[in-house]
mmCIF file with all atom_site columns, all heavy atoms in Angstrom:
data_model
loop_
_atom_site.group_PDB
_atom_site.id
_atom_site.type_symbol
_atom_site.label_atom_id
_atom_site.label_alt_id
_atom_site.label_comp_id
_atom_site.label_asym_id
_atom_site.label_entity_id
_atom_site.label_seq_id
_atom_site.pdbx_PDB_ins_code
_atom_site.Cartn_x
_atom_site.Cartn_y
_atom_site.Cartn_z
_atom_site.occupancy
_atom_site.B_iso_or_equiv
_atom_site.pdbx_formal_charge
_atom_site.auth_seq_id
_atom_site.auth_comp_id
_atom_site.auth_asym_id
_atom_site.auth_atom_id
_atom_site.pdbx_PDB_model_num
ATOM   1   N N   . TYR A 1 139 ? -16.105 -5.492  -10.050 1.00 0.00 ? 139 TYR A N   1
ATOM   2   C CA  . TYR A 1 139 ? -15.896 -6.767  -10.745 1.00 0.00 ? 139 TYR A CA  1
ATOM   3   C C   . TYR A 1 139 ? -16.203 -7.920  -9.799  1.00 0.00 ? 139 TYR A C   1
ATOM   4   O O   . TYR A 1 139 ? -16.176 -7.761  -8.577  1.00 0.00 ? 139 TYR A O   1
ATOM   5   C CB  . TYR A 1 139 ? -14.444 -6.893  -11.258 1.00 0.00 ? 139 TYR A CB  1
ATOM   6   C CG  . TYR A 1 139 ? -13.405 -6.603  -10.204 1.00 0.00 ? 139 TYR A CG  1
ATOM   7   C CD1 . TYR A 1 139 ? -12.882 -7.623  -9.403  1.00 0.00 ? 139 TYR A CD1 1
ATOM   8   C CD2 . TYR A 1 139 ? -12.955 -5.300  -9.971  1.00 0.00 ? 139 TYR A CD2 1
ATOM   9   C CE1 . TYR A 1 139 ? -11.935 -7.357  -8.419  1.00 0.00 ? 139 TYR A CE1 1
ATOM   10  C CE2 . TYR A 1 139 ? -12.016 -5.031  -8.997  1.00 0.00 ? 139 TYR A CE2 1
ATOM   11  C CZ  . TYR A 1 139 ? -11.516 -6.055  -8.224  1.00 0.00 ? 139 TYR A CZ  1
ATOM   12  O OH  . TYR A 1 139 ? -10.589 -5.774  -7.240  1.00 0.00 ? 139 TYR A OH  1
ATOM   13  N N   . GLY A 1 141 ? -15.595 -11.040 -7.609  1.00 0.00 ? 141 GLY A N   1
ATOM   14  C CA  . GLY A 1 141 ? -14.419 -11.510 -6.886  1.00 0.00 ? 141 GLY A CA  1
ATOM   15  C C   . GLY A 1 141 ? -13.678 -10.391 -6.173  1.00 0.00 ? 141 GLY A C   1
ATOM   16  O O   . GLY A 1 141 ? -12.656 -10.630 -5.541  1.00 0.00 ? 141 GLY A O   1
ATOM   17  N N   . THR A 1 143 ? -12.739 -7.994  -3.301  1.00 0.00 ? 143 THR A N   1
ATOM   18  C CA  . THR A 1 143 ? -12.877 -8.081  -1.848  1.00 0.00 ? 143 THR A CA  1
ATOM   19  C C   . THR A 1 143 ? -13.571 -6.822  -1.345  1.00 0.00 ? 143 THR A C   1
ATOM   20  O O   . THR A 1 143 ? -13.267 -5.721  -1.803  1.00 0.00 ? 143 THR A O   1
ATOM   21  C CB  . THR A 1 143 ? -11.486 -8.203  -1.178  1.00 0.00 ? 143 THR A CB  1
ATOM   22  O OG1 . THR A 1 143 ? -10.795 -9.283  -1.801  1.00 0.00 ? 143 THR A OG1 1
ATOM   23  C CG2 . THR A 1 143 ? -11.612 -8.479  0.302   1.00 0.00 ? 143 THR A CG2 1
ATOM   24  N N   . PRO A 1 176 ? 0.151   -10.364 -1.773  1.00 0.00 ? 176 PRO A N   1
ATOM   25  C CA  . PRO A 1 176 ? 0.707   -11.410 -2.638  1.00 0.00 ? 176 PRO A CA  1
ATOM   26  C C   . PRO A 1 176 ? -0.353  -12.160 -3.434  1.00 0.00 ? 176 PRO A C   1
ATOM   27  O O   . PRO A 1 176 ? -0.005  -13.083 -4.186  1.00 0.00 ? 176 PRO A O   1
ATOM   28  C CB  . PRO A 1 176 ? 1.415   -12.341 -1.647  1.00 0.00 ? 176 PRO A CB  1
ATOM   29  C CG  . PRO A 1 176 ? 0.713   -12.122 -0.346  1.00 0.00 ? 176 PRO A CG  1
ATOM   30  C CD  . PRO A 1 176 ? 0.123   -10.745 -0.360  1.00 0.00 ? 176 PRO A CD  1
ATOM   31  N N   . MET A 1 177 ? -1.635  -11.796 -3.297  1.00 0.00 ? 177 MET A N   1
ATOM   32  C CA  . MET A 1 177 ? -2.731  -12.384 -4.074  1.00 0.00 ? 177 MET A CA  1
ATOM   33  C C   . MET A 1 177 ? -3.680  -11.241 -4.409  1.00 0.00 ? 177 MET A C   1
ATOM   34  O O   . MET A 1 177 ? -4.824  -11.200 -3.970  1.00 0.00 ? 177 MET A O   1
ATOM   35  C CB  . MET A 1 177 ? -3.426  -13.467 -3.238  1.00 0.00 ? 177 MET A CB  1
ATOM   36  C CG  . MET A 1 177 ? -2.442  -14.531 -2.813  1.00 0.00 ? 177 MET A CG  1
ATOM   37  S SD  . MET A 1 177 ? -3.143  -15.861 -1.875  1.00 0.00 ? 177 MET A SD  1
ATOM   38  C CE  . MET A 1 177 ? -1.724  -16.973 -1.864  1.00 0.00 ? 177 MET A CE  1
ATOM   39  N N   . CYS A 1 178 ? -3.164  -10.277 -5.180  1.00 0.00 ? 178 CYS A N   1
ATOM   40  C CA  . CYS A 1 178 ? -3.778  -8.939  -5.194  1.00 0.00 ? 178 CYS A CA  1
ATOM   41  C C   . CYS A 1 178 ? -4.983  -8.770  -6.095  1.00 0.00 ? 178 CYS A C   1
ATOM   42  O O   . CYS A 1 178 ? -5.649  -7.742  -6.031  1.00 0.00 ? 178 CYS A O   1
ATOM   43  C CB  . CYS A 1 178 ? -2.718  -7.898  -5.545  1.00 0.00 ? 178 CYS A CB  1
ATOM   44  S SG  . CYS A 1 178 ? -2.146  -7.989  -7.257  1.00 0.00 ? 178 CYS A SG  1
ATOM   45  N N   . GLY A 1 179 ? -5.306  -9.767  -6.957  1.00 0.00 ? 179 GLY A N   1
ATOM   46  C CA  . GLY A 1 179 ? -6.455  -9.598  -7.845  1.00 0.00 ? 179 GLY A CA  1
ATOM   47  C C   . GLY A 1 179 ? -6.321  -8.301  -8.624  1.00 0.00 ? 179 GLY A C   1
ATOM   48  O O   . GLY A 1 179 ? -5.296  -8.015  -9.236  1.00 0.00 ? 179 GLY A O   1
ATOM   49  N N   . ARG A 1 180 ? -7.366  -7.463  -8.562  1.00 0.00 ? 180 ARG A N   1
ATOM   50  C CA  . ARG A 1 180 ? -7.298  -6.182  -9.266  1.00 0.00 ? 180 ARG A CA  1
ATOM   51  C C   . ARG A 1 180 ? -7.017  -5.028  -8.307  1.00 0.00 ? 180 ARG A C   1
ATOM   52  O O   . ARG A 1 180 ? -7.415  -3.888  -8.544  1.00 0.00 ? 180 ARG A O   1
ATOM   53  C CB  . ARG A 1 180 ? -8.601  -5.932  -10.012 1.00 0.00 ? 180 ARG A CB  1
ATOM   54  C CG  . ARG A 1 180 ? -8.814  -6.908  -11.140 1.00 0.00 ? 180 ARG A CG  1
ATOM   55  C CD  . ARG A 1 180 ? -9.800  -6.323  -12.119 1.00 0.00 ? 180 ARG A CD  1
ATOM   56  N NE  . ARG A 1 180 ? -10.584 -7.330  -12.778 1.00 0.00 ? 180 ARG A NE  1
ATOM   57  C CZ  . ARG A 1 180 ? -11.605 -7.062  -13.560 1.00 0.00 ? 180 ARG A CZ  1
ATOM   58  N NH1 . ARG A 1 180 ? -11.970 -5.801  -13.763 1.00 0.00 ? 180 ARG A NH1 1
ATOM   59  N NH2 . ARG A 1 180 ? -12.278 -8.023  -14.142 1.00 0.00 ? 180 ARG A NH2 1
ATOM   60  N N   . THR A 1 182 ? -7.484  -4.131  -4.708  1.00 0.00 ? 182 THR A N   1
ATOM   61  C CA  . THR A 1 182 ? -8.198  -3.378  -3.658  1.00 0.00 ? 182 THR A CA  1
ATOM   62  C C   . THR A 1 182 ? -7.243  -3.001  -2.510  1.00 0.00 ? 182 THR A C   1
ATOM   63  O O   . THR A 1 182 ? -7.251  -1.852  -2.045  1.00 0.00 ? 182 THR A O   1
ATOM   64  C CB  . THR A 1 182 ? -9.390  -4.196  -3.115  1.00 0.00 ? 182 THR A CB  1
ATOM   65  O OG1 . THR A 1 182 ? -10.148 -4.668  -4.226  1.00 0.00 ? 182 THR A OG1 1
ATOM   66  C CG2 . THR A 1 182 ? -10.286 -3.347  -2.224  1.00 0.00 ? 182 THR A CG2 1
ATOM   67  N N   . GLU A 1 198 ? 0.172   -11.450 -8.515  1.00 0.00 ? 198 GLU A N   1
ATOM   68  C CA  . GLU A 1 198 ? -1.066  -12.108 -8.964  1.00 0.00 ? 198 GLU A CA  1
ATOM   69  C C   . GLU A 1 198 ? -0.732  -12.967 -10.184 1.00 0.00 ? 198 GLU A C   1
ATOM   70  O O   . GLU A 1 198 ? -0.122  -12.484 -11.138 1.00 0.00 ? 198 GLU A O   1
ATOM   71  C CB  . GLU A 1 198 ? -2.112  -11.015 -9.304  1.00 0.00 ? 198 GLU A CB  1
ATOM   72  C CG  . GLU A 1 198 ? -3.354  -11.467 -10.011 1.00 0.00 ? 198 GLU A CG  1
ATOM   73  C CD  . GLU A 1 198 ? -4.199  -12.487 -9.233  1.00 0.00 ? 198 GLU A CD  1
ATOM   74  O OE1 . GLU A 1 198 ? -4.580  -12.205 -8.099  1.00 0.00 ? 198 GLU A OE1 1
ATOM   75  O OE2 . GLU A 1 198 ? -4.443  -13.574 -9.796  1.00 0.00 ? 198 GLU A OE2 1
ATOM   76  N N   . PRO A 1 199 ? -1.125  -14.275 -10.149 1.00 0.00 ? 199 PRO A N   1
ATOM   77  C CA  . PRO A 1 199 ? -0.830  -15.137 -11.298 1.00 0.00 ? 199 PRO A CA  1
ATOM   78  C C   . PRO A 1 199 ? -1.770  -14.903 -12.481 1.00 0.00 ? 199 PRO A C   1
ATOM   79  O O   . PRO A 1 199 ? -1.439  -15.305 -13.602 1.00 0.00 ? 199 PRO A O   1
ATOM   80  C CB  . PRO A 1 199 ? -1.018  -16.561 -10.739 1.00 0.00 ? 199 PRO A CB  1
ATOM   81  C CG  . PRO A 1 199 ? -1.865  -16.400 -9.522  1.00 0.00 ? 199 PRO A CG  1
ATOM   82  C CD  . PRO A 1 199 ? -1.706  -15.011 -9.015  1.00 0.00 ? 199 PRO A CD  1
ATOM   83  N N   . ASP A 1 262 ? 3.389   -16.377 -8.913  1.00 0.00 ? 262 ASP A N   1
ATOM   84  C CA  . ASP A 1 262 ? 2.816   -17.048 -7.756  1.00 0.00 ? 262 ASP A CA  1
ATOM   85  C C   . ASP A 1 262 ? 3.117   -16.207 -6.507  1.00 0.00 ? 262 ASP A C   1
ATOM   86  O O   . ASP A 1 262 ? 4.203   -15.623 -6.401  1.00 0.00 ? 262 ASP A O   1
ATOM   87  C CB  . ASP A 1 262 ? 3.454   -18.439 -7.631  1.00 0.00 ? 262 ASP A CB  1
ATOM   88  C CG  . ASP A 1 262 ? 2.886   -19.205 -6.462  1.00 0.00 ? 262 ASP A CG  1
ATOM   89  O OD1 . ASP A 1 262 ? 1.839   -19.857 -6.642  1.00 0.00 ? 262 ASP A OD1 1
ATOM   90  O OD2 . ASP A 1 262 ? 3.471   -19.151 -5.361  1.00 0.00 ? 262 ASP A OD2 1
ATOM   91  N N   . GLY A 1 263 ? 2.168   -16.182 -5.570  1.00 0.00 ? 263 GLY A N   1
ATOM   92  C CA  . GLY A 1 263 ? 2.311   -15.329 -4.382  1.00 0.00 ? 263 GLY A CA  1
ATOM   93  C C   . GLY A 1 263 ? 3.366   -15.792 -3.392  1.00 0.00 ? 263 GLY A C   1
ATOM   94  O O   . GLY A 1 263 ? 3.575   -15.136 -2.364  1.00 0.00 ? 263 GLY A O   1
ATOM   95  N N   . ASP A 1 281 ? -6.495  -11.385 0.795   1.00 0.00 ? 281 ASP A N   1
ATOM   96  C CA  . ASP A 1 281 ? -7.744  -12.136 0.864   1.00 0.00 ? 281 ASP A CA  1
ATOM   97  C C   . ASP A 1 281 ? -7.503  -13.407 0.054   1.00 0.00 ? 281 ASP A C   1
ATOM   98  O O   . ASP A 1 281 ? -7.385  -13.354 -1.171  1.00 0.00 ? 281 ASP A O   1
ATOM   99  C CB  . ASP A 1 281 ? -8.844  -11.257 0.223   1.00 0.00 ? 281 ASP A CB  1
ATOM   100 C CG  . ASP A 1 281 ? -10.214 -11.876 0.336   1.00 0.00 ? 281 ASP A CG  1
ATOM   101 O OD1 . ASP A 1 281 ? -10.425 -12.740 1.203   1.00 0.00 ? 281 ASP A OD1 1
ATOM   102 O OD2 . ASP A 1 281 ? -11.095 -11.462 -0.454  1.00 0.00 ? 281 ASP A OD2 1
ATOM   103 N N   . PRO A 1 283 ? -7.758  -17.051 -1.888  1.00 0.00 ? 283 PRO A N   1
ATOM   104 C CA  . PRO A 1 283 ? -8.791  -17.620 -2.750  1.00 0.00 ? 283 PRO A CA  1
ATOM   105 C C   . PRO A 1 283 ? -9.772  -18.424 -1.895  1.00 0.00 ? 283 PRO A C   1
ATOM   106 O O   . PRO A 1 283 ? -9.366  -19.059 -0.926  1.00 0.00 ? 283 PRO A O   1
ATOM   107 C CB  . PRO A 1 283 ? -8.013  -18.540 -3.689  1.00 0.00 ? 283 PRO A CB  1
ATOM   108 C CG  . PRO A 1 283 ? -6.579  -18.192 -3.548  1.00 0.00 ? 283 PRO A CG  1
ATOM   109 C CD  . PRO A 1 283 ? -6.403  -17.494 -2.249  1.00 0.00 ? 283 PRO A CD  1
ATOM   110 N N   . LEU A 1 295 ? -6.891  -20.951 -10.734 1.00 0.00 ? 295 LEU A N   1
ATOM   111 C CA  . LEU A 1 295 ? -6.392  -19.909 -9.848  1.00 0.00 ? 295 LEU A CA  1
ATOM   112 C C   . LEU A 1 295 ? -7.159  -19.856 -8.529  1.00 0.00 ? 295 LEU A C   1
ATOM   113 O O   . LEU A 1 295 ? -6.993  -18.948 -7.748  1.00 0.00 ? 295 LEU A O   1
ATOM   114 C CB  . LEU A 1 295 ? -6.462  -18.553 -10.550 1.00 0.00 ? 295 LEU A CB  1
ATOM   115 C CG  . LEU A 1 295 ? -5.545  -18.413 -11.753 1.00 0.00 ? 295 LEU A CG  1
ATOM   116 C CD1 . LEU A 1 295 ? -5.724  -17.062 -12.408 1.00 0.00 ? 295 LEU A CD1 1
ATOM   117 C CD2 . LEU A 1 295 ? -4.084  -18.596 -11.343 1.00 0.00 ? 295 LEU A CD2 1
ATOM   118 N N   . LEU A 1 303 ? -1.952  -24.208 0.202   1.00 0.00 ? 303 LEU A N   1
ATOM   119 C CA  . LEU A 1 303 ? -1.491  -22.981 -0.458  1.00 0.00 ? 303 LEU A CA  1
ATOM   120 C C   . LEU A 1 303 ? -0.710  -22.101 0.532   1.00 0.00 ? 303 LEU A C   1
ATOM   121 O O   . LEU A 1 303 ? 0.398   -21.641 0.244   1.00 0.00 ? 303 LEU A O   1
ATOM   122 C CB  . LEU A 1 303 ? -2.701  -22.214 -1.021  1.00 0.00 ? 303 LEU A CB  1
ATOM   123 C CG  . LEU A 1 303 ? -2.427  -20.829 -1.601  1.00 0.00 ? 303 LEU A CG  1
ATOM   124 C CD1 . LEU A 1 303 ? -1.592  -20.917 -2.867  1.00 0.00 ? 303 LEU A CD1 1
ATOM   125 C CD2 . LEU A 1 303 ? -3.745  -20.089 -1.894  1.00 0.00 ? 303 LEU A CD2 1
ATOM   126 N N   . ARG A 1 306 ? 2.648   -23.358 1.542   1.00 0.00 ? 306 ARG A N   1
ATOM   127 C CA  . ARG A 1 306 ? 3.637   -23.221 0.468   1.00 0.00 ? 306 ARG A CA  1
ATOM   128 C C   . ARG A 1 306 ? 4.153   -21.781 0.349   1.00 0.00 ? 306 ARG A C   1
ATOM   129 O O   . ARG A 1 306 ? 5.341   -21.553 0.139   1.00 0.00 ? 306 ARG A O   1
ATOM   130 C CB  . ARG A 1 306 ? 2.985   -23.666 -0.856  1.00 0.00 ? 306 ARG A CB  1
ATOM   131 C CG  . ARG A 1 306 ? 3.930   -23.748 -2.033  1.00 0.00 ? 306 ARG A CG  1
ATOM   132 C CD  . ARG A 1 306 ? 3.281   -24.432 -3.206  1.00 0.00 ? 306 ARG A CD  1
ATOM   133 N NE  . ARG A 1 306 ? 2.093   -23.757 -3.709  1.00 0.00 ? 306 ARG A NE  1
ATOM   134 C CZ  . ARG A 1 306 ? 2.095   -22.606 -4.360  1.00 0.00 ? 306 ARG A CZ  1
ATOM   135 N NH1 . ARG A 1 306 ? 3.232   -21.970 -4.573  1.00 0.00 ? 306 ARG A NH1 1
ATOM   136 N NH2 . ARG A 1 306 ? 0.963   -22.072 -4.786  1.00 0.00 ? 306 ARG A NH2 1
HETATM 137 C C1  . SAM B 2 .   ? -10.199 -13.478 -3.158  1.00 0.00 ? 401 SAM B C1  1
HETATM 138 S S1  . SAM B 2 .   ? -9.249  -13.058 -4.562  1.00 0.00 ? 401 SAM B S1  1
HETATM 139 C C2  . SAM B 2 .   ? -8.510  -11.529 -4.087  1.00 0.00 ? 401 SAM B C2  1
HETATM 140 C C3  . SAM B 2 .   ? -9.234  -10.357 -4.674  1.00 0.00 ? 401 SAM B C3  1
HETATM 141 C C4  . SAM B 2 .   ? -8.551  -9.031  -4.436  1.00 0.00 ? 401 SAM B C4  1
HETATM 142 N N1  . SAM B 2 .   ? -8.391  -8.747  -3.019  1.00 0.00 ? 401 SAM B N1  1
HETATM 143 C C5  . SAM B 2 .   ? -9.345  -7.926  -5.110  1.00 0.00 ? 401 SAM B C5  1
HETATM 144 O O1  . SAM B 2 .   ? -10.117 -7.230  -4.410  1.00 0.00 ? 401 SAM B O1  1
HETATM 145 O O2  . SAM B 2 .   ? -9.256  -7.776  -6.334  1.00 0.00 ? 401 SAM B O2  1
HETATM 146 C C6  . SAM B 2 .   ? -7.916  -14.191 -4.477  1.00 0.00 ? 401 SAM B C6  1
HETATM 147 C C7  . SAM B 2 .   ? -6.884  -13.993 -5.568  1.00 0.00 ? 401 SAM B C7  1
HETATM 148 O O3  . SAM B 2 .   ? -5.840  -14.943 -5.369  1.00 0.00 ? 401 SAM B O3  1
HETATM 149 C C8  . SAM B 2 .   ? -5.318  -15.268 -6.628  1.00 0.00 ? 401 SAM B C8  1
HETATM 150 N N2  . SAM B 2 .   ? -4.505  -16.496 -6.496  1.00 0.00 ? 401 SAM B N2  1
HETATM 151 C C9  . SAM B 2 .   ? -4.862  -17.800 -6.588  1.00 0.00 ? 401 SAM B C9  1
HETATM 152 N N3  . SAM B 2 .   ? -3.800  -18.601 -6.413  1.00 0.00 ? 401 SAM B N3  1
HETATM 153 C C10 . SAM B 2 .   ? -2.734  -17.797 -6.194  1.00 0.00 ? 401 SAM B C10 1
HETATM 154 C C11 . SAM B 2 .   ? -1.346  -18.021 -5.959  1.00 0.00 ? 401 SAM B C11 1
HETATM 155 N N4  . SAM B 2 .   ? -0.841  -19.250 -5.920  1.00 0.00 ? 401 SAM B N4  1
HETATM 156 N N5  . SAM B 2 .   ? -0.547  -16.947 -5.774  1.00 0.00 ? 401 SAM B N5  1
HETATM 157 C C12 . SAM B 2 .   ? -1.051  -15.685 -5.815  1.00 0.00 ? 401 SAM B C12 1
HETATM 158 N N6  . SAM B 2 .   ? -2.346  -15.414 -6.036  1.00 0.00 ? 401 SAM B N6  1
HETATM 159 C C13 . SAM B 2 .   ? -3.174  -16.451 -6.233  1.00 0.00 ? 401 SAM B C13 1
HETATM 160 C C14 . SAM B 2 .   ? -6.554  -15.387 -7.499  1.00 0.00 ? 401 SAM B C14 1
HETATM 161 O O4  . SAM B 2 .   ? -6.229  -15.290 -8.886  1.00 0.00 ? 401 SAM B O4  1
HETATM 162 C C15 . SAM B 2 .   ? -7.387  -14.223 -6.989  1.00 0.00 ? 401 SAM B C15 1
HETATM 163 O O5  . SAM B 2 .   ? -7.141  -13.056 -7.729  1.00 0.00 ? 401 SAM B O5  1
#
Side-chain angles (χ1 to χ4, degrees):
Y139 50 91
T143 307
M177 302 182 170
C178 70
R180 293 201 211 172
T182 310
E198 169 61 56
D262 181 86
D281 185 21
L295 294 178
L303 173 67
R306 187 169 61 71

